[in-house]
Amino acid sequence: MSGFKKFLIRGNLVDLAVAFVVGAAFAGLVKDFANSFITPLIALLGGKPDYTALAVTINGTKFPYGIFMTSAIAFIITAAIVYFLVVLPTTKLIERMDRGKEATERECPQCLSDIPVRALRCRHCTTELVPSAELPR
């Protein structure tokens, strides 16, 4: 039983659980934002994107492709919201924060692998390297 307790309390599992709960809450937030603001804007321009009634019947079997179309449109809207309101600003913030940091790796001119800046030999292809001028020895 103690092994099971350690498994449940281990950092990775707790982090995963927290990420799942926050992700679920965030998904609800994005969905409500899309339903409250984005979908009405689209309805102003071209009508409400609800195609759930669209279907085709072949040999008596109904294929409701409109349900898929509505879900696909909702997915695209949600993905755009997440990209423009979360991913893009976060990427810009990380770039801004990393501007002043010094490089810790460089590219091997022979095999193009990442190696430490101060390395004198590539760990991948064993090419002898010229010491980098970026960091003092």
Side-chain angles (χ1 to χ4, degrees):
M1 196 64 167
S2 67
F4 184 66
K5 285 182 190 176
K6 286 180 185 177
F7 170 73
L8 288 178
I9 299 176
R10 196 168 35 179
N12 294 344
L13 187 62
V14 173
D15 291 344
L16 180 61
V18 169
F20 180 77
V21 170
V22 170
F26 184 72
L29 180 69
V30 169
K31 180 182 174 196
D32 291 342
F33 179 79
N35 289 338
S36 299
F37 297 103
I38 305 299
T39 305
L41 287 174
I42 292 172
L44 283 175
L45 298 174
K48 189 167 178 74
D50 183 12
Y51 306 110
T52 54
L54 296 177
V56 64
T57 304
I58 300 174
N59 290 337
T61 304
K62 185 177 180 181
F63 294 93
Y65 67 91
I67 295 171
F68 175 75
M69 287 180 56
T70 302
S71 294
I73 291 169
F75 173 78
I76 291 169
I77 291 170
T78 303
I81 290 170
V82 169
Y83 179 76
F84 288 111
L85 297 182
V86 177
V87 174
L88 197 61
T90 303
T91 304
K92 298 266 186 206
L93 180 66
I94 290 171
E95 286 175 2
R96 201 173 274 172
M97 290 173 61
D98 286 346
R99 268 189 208 153
K101 290 185 179 179
E102 294 182 19
T104 58
E105 291 187 335
R106 63 180 169 155
E107 200 172 70
C108 172
Q110 186 66 32
C111 70
L112 305 177
S113 300
D114 288 335
I115 55 172
V117 170
R118 293 185 179 185
L120 298 176
R121 187 178 292 273
C122 177
R123 72 173 79 126
H124 303 284
C125 68
T126 68
T127 300
E128 288 189 38
L129 304 167
V130 177
S132 177
E134 296 174 12
L135 292 176
R137 286 210 150 270

